[in-house]
């Protein structure tokens, strides 16, 4: 792999140390504010480049773009232009933001192009057609299998042969910051004679990442694993909220349903695969020989540091988990090849989530279920309170960033506060 | 229940005996033909009432309708107008089609309003946001449980307490008539040491019906079972194509995935709940006391006769199954109440499928898996060939109709031919 130059690029936009949205990142998102209708922007430092205004002033005139392509309330039509075009837009914006380039820096429109991120409301970045949730962390699948099935045979026989996954609910995927009502439902603990009904008593987060599809296929077609990159536009952070008690009672034999469908949250800025390129790394070595359609020639792991914080209603943020996306046993190319191997068609905006990202260390587990080990090892928070699961009033935030040779590319955060059941 | 008058309504449109699309039915669909762009129509006999032309000529002027509401390629915006409006449209069309009413019968525009069904291409009736597949036939769940788990404990502990279901794949739901490629995938029979890859060797149909949501909810809200009717616009026939070998290997613990996501087929005409009202009937008595949110005050079963046909590439149609929607243990109101009890939001156009509709008799089983009992009792077709599962070149058709006191309301059919794997 080529070494990235040590933070060689400098922008005229002020970017604080440890900022996620550096000149190397430039993720796409959809925003509005009091003045502005929904539109597409690129984040840099504490600012957003309003691409519609940039386009209007001719800065993107060398790229073949439809009129008003940036005045949309989702990225789908923009992504549909294809990677050669979307890459050109990002490359052009990068050049315009360089300190040595006066074109935008000294232009009279600069004030209109650059919007304060603080004053912007972020919207769902894409219109999602279908959402799949994979189960691709070996540590997570092993932990869950050990807790609920058999510690000696924690992984099921299929697990090392295919990236296990299931269809998720699309309607309830919401943007970071959306408050989430605690779900109600049926549960039946082993000591109960009959199922009971009420607000979930075991509400959990799941630390995940998700990729967004950038190129569609037709029914009957499959994405070859060597071509998978062409179909992946970018990535976001993902919190797959889970009600463990509802899930435990309902999930045999057809899988998770109401224990998941009440809500999932995503981060607003889609970090492109181009921005993540310097952070590629090897995935764990396959422990079983894979069928050819799942054999990767290239590295598809990504070294992305992940953290989870819990903030009680009246307390401070508590760091409860440090994990990394590189722990994933099954990578995104394998997931996409598997998803489509049966001829299932994919669409622009589809979301494919990783499943809970747990690492080997006990503080790298990506859910309360694992961190507090089924309630047997409660976490103690700064304010002295204990947590086995998530309580009403708690805000859960997931953060993620990659860093190498002084270059930082971050995802910002996905956050959500739990409200009492309605 | 009020008795329906014995076929008292007569239309000036010629309607053959045993026609599905009678004056009592009047289902909504989306069609186009060589001349006409996609638009919304109502089926009657061998004709379609082009609602856009009807509207244009002022026949619907007493209803508050947006301009061009019928010139759409799906029903979603029309359904969103609400049941009072959509019912008025159907009622008005019914009056216009009555033999004693000369308004349309003798109007110069009649020729433009009435389109031949044979010359029309039907399109997907709705844009589907999310699709859930339930598992609500006790006979089907018992048969599958007996075959794959334990005949003594065929039903799992949760089955009689909640309508088990899972999220399905939306992108691959296609309109009747669409040809389906045999899916490829992994499977591992009990006698195999390692999983193998190839075209599915156990391709199956599933006889199902599905309802379409007509009114949305917000996240955190639940649909009360007594109000469920307000949220259900109508029903269609549904074939949930299934690859049994792929499904068997993948489905533990997260449920069916690639064994289902390659394709599902739906019938093009959405039969309204108003049209189905005379055919309401009791559902099987619950065998366990239900939690209050699943307790129905009204009957929500529907007496709808269902048939499945298999036509080999060069043979005739073979009737292989006769079932009825009234066998369903869990009804559509219970399904919707359950789907939303956790606060999961629903959207107009959502599709909720019943799961395989098997009856008590061996020839009423709604899948090849059950009809040929896991391949142990192959079906013999007219042409002398045998079927354990569906073969390349086979066309599977599901038909459905309700009939009472001389009044018939039918669904037409959902049909699909299997092509060899790509």
């Amino acid at each position: 792999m080529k070494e990235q130059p040590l933070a060689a690029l400098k922008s005229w936009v002020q970017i604080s140390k440890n900022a996620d949205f550096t000149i190397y990142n430039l993720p796409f998102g959809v925003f509005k504010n009091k003045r502005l209708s929904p539109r597409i922007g690129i984040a840099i430092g504490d600012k957003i480049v309003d691409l519609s205004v940039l386009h209007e002033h001719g800065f993107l005139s060398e790229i073949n773009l439809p009129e008003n392509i940036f005045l949309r309330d989702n990225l789908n039509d923009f992504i549909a232009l294809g990677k050669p075009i979307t890459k050109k837009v990002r490359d052009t914006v990068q050049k315009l933001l360089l300190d040595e380039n006066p074109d935008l820096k000294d232009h009279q429109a600069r004030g209109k192009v650059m919007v304060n991120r603080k004053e912007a409301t972020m919207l769902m970045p894409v219109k999602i057609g279908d959402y799949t949730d994979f189960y691709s962390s070996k540590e997570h699948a092993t932990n869950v299998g050990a807790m609920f099935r058999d510690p000696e045979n924690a992984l099921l026989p299929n697990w090392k042969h295919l990236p296990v996954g299931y269809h998720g609910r699309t309607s309830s995927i919401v943007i970071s910051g959306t408050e989430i009502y605690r779900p109600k439902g049926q549960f039946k603990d082993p000591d109960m004679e009959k199922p009971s009904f009420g607000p979930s008593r075991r509400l959990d987060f799941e630390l995940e990442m998700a990729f967004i599809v950038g190129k569609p296929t037709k029914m009957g077609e499959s994405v070859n694993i060597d071509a998978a990159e062409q179909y992946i536009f970018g990535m976001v952070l993902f919190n797959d909220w889970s009600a463990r008690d509802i899930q435990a009672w309902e999930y045999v034999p057809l899988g998770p349903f109401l224990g998941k469908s009440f809500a999932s949250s995503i981060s607003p800025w889609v970090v492109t695969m181009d921005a993540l390129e310097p952070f590629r790394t090897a995935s764990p070595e396959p422990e079983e020989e894979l069928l050819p359609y799942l054999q990767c020639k290239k590295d598809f792991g990504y070294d992305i540091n992940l953290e989870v914080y819990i903030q009680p209603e009246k307390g401070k943020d508590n760091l409860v988990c440090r994990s990394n996306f590189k722990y994933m046993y099954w990578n995104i190319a394998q997931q996409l090849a598997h998803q489509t191997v049966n001829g299932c068609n994919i669409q622009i905006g589809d979301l494919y989530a990783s499943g809970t990202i747990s690492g080997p260390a006990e503080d790298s587990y990506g859910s309360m279920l694992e961190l507090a080990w089924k309630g047997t090892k409660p976490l103690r928070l700064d304010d002295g309170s204990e947590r086995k699961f998530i309580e009403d009033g708690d805000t859960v935030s997931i953060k993620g960033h990659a860093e190498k040779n002084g270059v930082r590319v971050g995802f910002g955060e996905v956050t959500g506060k739990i409200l009492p059941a309605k």
Side-chain angles (χ1 to χ4, degrees), chain A:
Chain A
M1 191 190 296
K2 270 189 299 181
E3 284 292 293
Q4 183 81 9
L6 180 72
L9 305 182
K10 204 174 154 7
S11 175
W12 48 262
V13 178
Q14 202 187 327
I15 297 167
S16 58
K17 204 172 168 298
N18 292 335
D20 279 350
F21 304 135
T22 62
I23 185 83
Y24 295 96
N25 189 351
L26 306 177
F28 292 95
V30 178
F31 73 99
K32 63 176 186 180
N33 66 20
K34 278 182 194 158
R35 262 182 328 112
L36 305 172
S37 61
R39 58 196 57 209
I40 296 175
I42 279 181
I44 176 136
D46 298 329
K47 300 284 183 180
I48 300 172
V49 180
D50 182 334
L51 291 175
S52 72
V53 176
L54 201 71
H55 192 201
E56 194 185 298
H57 282 87
F59 285 105
L60 305 172
S61 57
E62 281 172 33
I63 309 172
N64 187 12
L65 292 167
E67 217 178 323
N68 294 331
I69 186 70
F70 298 114
L71 286 172
R72 306 290 165 99
D73 61 5
N74 59 62
L75 293 170
N76 294 44
D77 289 345
F78 173 65
I79 293 174
L81 300 176
K83 278 209 185 184
I85 298 286
T86 57
K87 187 177 183 312
K88 247 186 222 167
V89 169
R90 186 169 161 277
D91 289 349
T92 303
V93 169
Q94 191 176 49
K95 280 195 198 108
L96 287 168
L97 293 171
L98 287 179
D99 202 33
E100 66 260 31
N101 185 339
D103 292 358
L104 176 60
K105 185 182 177 181
D106 299 341
H107 196 278
Q108 48 83 16
R110 172 175 157 176
K112 271 188 78 184
V113 169
M114 306 304 286
V115 176
N116 287 328
R117 268 209 298 128
K118 269 196 187 154
E119 289 155 23
T121 302
M122 298 307 296
L123 306 175
M124 281 287 290
V126 283
K127 189 166 163 51
I128 302 168
D130 282 285
Y131 143 53
T132 292
D133 195 25
F134 285 96
Y135 188 56
S136 291
S137 150
K138 187 181 153 203
E139 287 80 5
H140 172 68
T142 304
N143 287 341
V144 171
M147 271 186 260
F148 290 103
R149 289 178 292 263
D150 173 8
E152 298 305 305
N153 293 290
L155 283 184
L156 288 160
N158 56 14
W159 200 90
K160 289 182 185 172
H161 293 282
L162 54 87
V164 170
Y166 67 101
H167 311 291
R169 180 81 188 181
T170 299
S171 70
S172 53
I173 301 178
V174 294
I175 191 70
S176 175
T178 306
E179 295 181 320
I180 310 293
Y181 292 99
R182 178 177 296 268
K184 290 175 289 189
Q186 283 193 33
F187 37 81
K188 184 178 170 295
D189 298 343
D191 61 340
M192 290 162 65
E193 218 172 279
K194 294 205 159 208
S196 189
F197 178 84
S200 168
R201 305 137 321 147
R202 295 191 202 131
L203 184 59
D204 205 350
F205 64 83
E206 286 193 339
L207 162 60
E208 304 198 13
M209 296 193 68
F211 69 84
I212 289 168
V213 165
K215 187 177 167 183
T217 63
K218 289 191 185 135
M219 271 175 74
E221 291 178 4
S222 304
V223 173
N224 188 292
I225 196 160
D226 297 325
E229 271 183 281
Q230 300 166 25
Y231 293 81
I232 301 176
F233 178 74
M235 297 198 74
V236 292
L237 302 171
F238 192 77
N239 182 350
D240 181 30
W241 300 98
S242 301
R244 301 296 179 195
D245 42 1
I246 297 172
Q247 187 184 346
W249 171 231
E250 74 178 358
Y251 91 105
V252 178
L254 300 187
F257 185 43
L258 301 192
K260 301 279 190 174
S261 63
F262 59 97
S264 311
S265 304
I266 71 171
S267 58
W269 292 104
V270 183
V271 176
T272 64
M273 299 320 287
D274 288 334
L276 293 172
E277 186 61 30
F279 310 103
R280 262 185 203 253
T281 184
S283 302
E285 202 57 38
E287 297 172 24
E288 290 277 355
E289 198 194 333
L290 296 178
L291 284 163
Y293 81 93
L294 291 171
Q295 290 174 11
C296 268
K297 294 200 186 84
K298 284 174 78 171
D299 284 343
F300 265 104
Y302 290 88
D303 184 356
I304 301 168
N305 300 295
L306 298 165
E307 294 175 332
V308 184
Y309 295 83
I310 298 176
Q311 181 177 30
E313 181 93 60
K314 290 175 183 172
K316 290 180 200 162
D317 250 344
N318 293 259
L319 177 62
V320 296
C321 162
R322 278 179 212 267
S323 189
N324 194 303
F325 191 59
K326 72 182 175 190
Y327 296 139
M328 302 308 289
Y329 185 91
W330 294 102
N331 66 45
I332 58 177
Q334 290 170 322
Q335 289 167 344
L336 192 58
H338 187 62
Q339 175 79 50
T340 58
V341 77
N342 68 343
C344 176
N345 55 326
I346 56 172
Q347 296 175 316
I348 285 167
D350 278 358
L351 196 83
Y352 296 89
S354 57
T356 306
I357 304 162
S358 295
E362 280 186 22
D363 69 347
S364 71
Y365 296 166
S367 66
M368 284 302 286
L369 178 69
E370 296 162 86
L371 288 166
W373 205 259
K374 223 179 162 183
T376 59
K377 298 177 183 175
L379 300 189
R380 184 169 295 275
L381 304 188
D382 256 5
D383 65 359
S385 65
E386 281 193 345
R387 286 292 180 286
K388 294 177 178 179
F389 289 96
I390 301 302
E391 297 191 0
D392 291 347
D394 285 355
T395 298
V396 178
S397 304
I398 296 174
K399 298 180 184 181
H401 76 275
E403 196 157 11
K404 192 175 171 182
N405 300 333
V407 170
R408 182 164 164 137
V409 167
F411 286 79
E413 65 174 8
V414 55
T415 182
K417 180 179 172 178
I418 295 298
L419 303 180
K422 241 189 179 173

